[in-house]
Amino acid sequence: MKIIAYGIRDDEKPYLDQWSKDQNIEVKAVSELLDEKSVDLADGYDGAVVYQQKPYTAEVLDKLASFGIKSLSLRNVGVDNIDADAIKRNDIKVTNVPAYSPAAIAELTITQLMRLLRRTPVFDKKQAAGNLQWAPDIADELGHMTVGVVATGRIGRAAMRIYEGFGAKVIAYDVYRNPELEAKGIYVDSMDELYAQADVISLHAPATKENEHMLNDETFAKMKDGVWILNPARGAIIDTDALIRALDSGKVAGAALDVYENEVGIFNTDFGSFDAIPDERLKNLMARDNVLVTPHIAFYTKTAVKNMVQFALNNNKQLIETGTADDIVEM
C-alpha cells in the first residue's frame, strides 16, 4: 500500500512519519496542495490525503481516478470545495476528520471573547504608549451575560461547557437538537429568539447555502444593542460589509473573527507589512480596538494537528482496504 499526502507542513511531518513507521505503510509527503499541476504526483499511489485550501475540480478528480485512486481523505472537516458530480462519476470515496479537537476551537473562541470584554487590546496599546490609567476602559463580566450558541455539534457543546464555567446563561439554536441539551431546556425555537436574548453570539455552524450571510443587516437589527459576535466557524456566515456597518453604528460592541469570507490566499500568508495586505475590508476590521482577527488558527494546536494527520491516514487506509471508513462522507 502506498499513500500520497498533499500540502504537508513542517509541523505535520513528524506525525505523518510516526504513523507511517507504526503502520509499516509508505506515505509520500509533498508540500504542494492538490491541484491541476500537482495531481500528476499521485500516479502510482493507492490513496490520497489532502487538505482543503483549493477547489478539487473535475479535472483533478478525473486525473486521480485515471491513476486508479478511489480513496480521498481530507485532514479537515469541510467538503464544500469538492466537485460532487466528479466524485460520483468516478466512484471516489471521500472521508474527512469531523472532530480533530473541539476543545481547541472552543478555547480560542472564549479566550478572544475575554480579551474583548476585559479591553486588553486597548490596554496593550495604552501601556505601550506609557499610559497606565484605567479609565475610561471599564470591562464587562461574562458571568452576567447570556450567550447564544448557534449550532450545538461537538465544538458548540465544548464552547457551552466553558461559557457555563464562567457562570454565563447559555441558550442555543440548532435545527438538529441534542437530546441532552433539549432535556436541559437550553434551546430556543428560532434564531430571532436567540438574537433578541443574547449578549454574545457564538457561531459554530457549517458553511451551507442556507447559512451564507446568516448575519446580515436584517439580522443585526434584531440583536441587542452592544452585542458581541464570535466567529470561529466559517467566514461566509457573516456579511462583512454588514458587520462593518454594525460596528460603526455601535449595534455590535465588538467581534472576534478566526475566519473571514475572503480568507483564501490571504490567511497563512506573510505580506511583510500591514499596508501590503490586499484586502481593505479586512484591514478595516484589523485596525479596530474592538475587533480581534486571527488567521484561522483556532484549530492550530499540537493535539489537533496530530489528530488531523493521523485520523486522515487511518481513514485512507480503511478506504483502500475495505472501500469504506469510519468518517466516510456522502457526497
Side-chain angles (χ1 to χ4, degrees):
M1 185 186 300
K2 295 168 63 179
I3 297 171
I4 184 169
Y6 282 93
I8 294 296
R9 306 182 305 269
D10 289 344
D11 55 83
E12 295 177 304
K13 189 67 163 53
Y15 304 121
L16 182 147
D17 290 342
Q18 177 188 341
W19 187 91
S20 178
K21 180 180 179 181
D22 292 345
Q23 297 292 328
N24 194 28
I25 293 174
E26 179 183 342
V27 182
K28 180 179 177 62
V30 298
S31 59
E32 297 93 334
L33 294 167
L34 175 62
D35 59 18
E36 288 79 5
K37 294 181 179 179
S38 64
V39 66
D40 288 334
L41 297 172
D43 193 7
Y45 289 86
D46 303 300
V49 170
V50 296
Y51 184 69
Q52 180 196 38
Q53 279 190 297
K54 291 187 175 184
Y56 302 142
T57 63
E59 180 183 346
V60 168
L61 297 169
D62 289 345
K63 184 64 75 74
L64 285 178
S66 75
F67 298 149
I69 293 178
K70 299 298 181 86
S71 304
L72 185 69
S73 296
L74 279 67
R75 303 197 297 280
N76 52 275
V77 180
V79 296
D80 51 296
N81 64 325
I82 301 176
D83 188 314
D85 291 336
I87 289 290
K88 294 172 185 176
R89 182 176 66 252
N90 289 298
D91 192 30
I92 295 173
K93 305 299 182 184
V94 177
T95 63
N96 67 351
V97 182
Y100 35 84
S101 181
I105 289 85
E107 287 177 8
L108 181 71
T109 305
I110 283 78
T111 296
Q112 297 295 75
L113 173 61
M114 294 309 300
R115 289 186 65 204
L116 289 170
L117 295 183
R118 297 311 303 252
R119 311 298 196 267
T120 59
V122 176
F123 280 103
D124 287 345
K125 287 186 176 181
K126 286 169 66 172
Q127 290 174 196
N131 182 354
L132 302 182
Q133 291 181 311
W134 309 334
D137 303 298
I138 194 166
D140 294 295
E141 294 184 22
L142 178 54
H144 296 289
M145 294 182 165
T146 297
V147 178
V149 173
V150 180
T152 55
R154 296 178 180 90
I155 298 171
R157 294 197 302 275
M160 292 170 74
R161 289 190 288 271
I162 302 175
Y163 291 130
E164 290 173 336
F166 275 92
K169 177 183 178 181
V170 176
I171 60 174
Y173 179 80
D174 199 320
V175 176
Y176 305 101
R177 296 190 172 190
N178 177 282
E180 293 182 10
L181 299 181
E182 179 89 75
K184 291 181 178 181
I186 284 177
Y187 287 108
V188 294
D189 293 326
S190 69
M191 285 295 295
D192 283 356
E193 287 184 60
L194 186 143
Y195 293 145
Q197 296 180 39
D199 301 298
V200 176
I201 295 178
S202 191
L203 300 169
H204 304 284
T208 64
K209 291 181 179 179
E210 294 75 19
N211 288 342
E212 185 173 0
H213 286 183
M214 174 193 298
L215 269 56
N216 52 51
D217 287 315
E218 182 179 346
T219 53
F220 280 127
K222 296 176 180 179
M223 298 176 192
K224 286 186 173 183
D225 291 341
V227 66
W228 301 89
I229 303 295
L230 313 174
N231 187 10
R234 287 292 182 268
I237 294 174
I238 298 179
D239 179 336
T240 302
D241 291 323
L243 174 61
I244 288 172
R245 287 189 286 269
L247 287 162
D248 287 343
S249 71
K251 166 60 76 170
V252 171
L257 311 171
D258 188 54
V259 290
Y260 176 65
E261 61 179 330
N262 296 320
E263 70 181 58
V264 175
I266 296 178
F267 281 4
N268 201 27
T269 301
D270 183 356
F271 292 103
S273 70
F274 179 83
D275 290 339
I277 297 172
D279 189 306
E280 293 305 316
R281 295 188 304 171
L282 180 60
K283 287 194 286 188
N284 179 311
L285 293 168
M286 292 173 66
R288 296 171 184 256
D289 290 338
N290 61 339
V291 176
L292 295 173
V293 175
T294 45
H296 211 137
I297 62 166
F299 83 97
Y300 197 50
T301 66
K302 295 173 183 176
T303 298
V305 169
K306 177 182 179 180
N307 289 343
M308 292 170 77
V309 170
Q310 298 192 346
F311 290 2
L313 287 165
N314 286 336
N315 282 329
N316 208 244
K317 177 175 180 284
Q318 286 184 319
L319 286 178
I320 294 167
E321 290 178 336
T322 69
T324 189
D326 293 338
D327 296 318
I328 198 160
V329 178
E330 297 296 331
M331 299 295 294

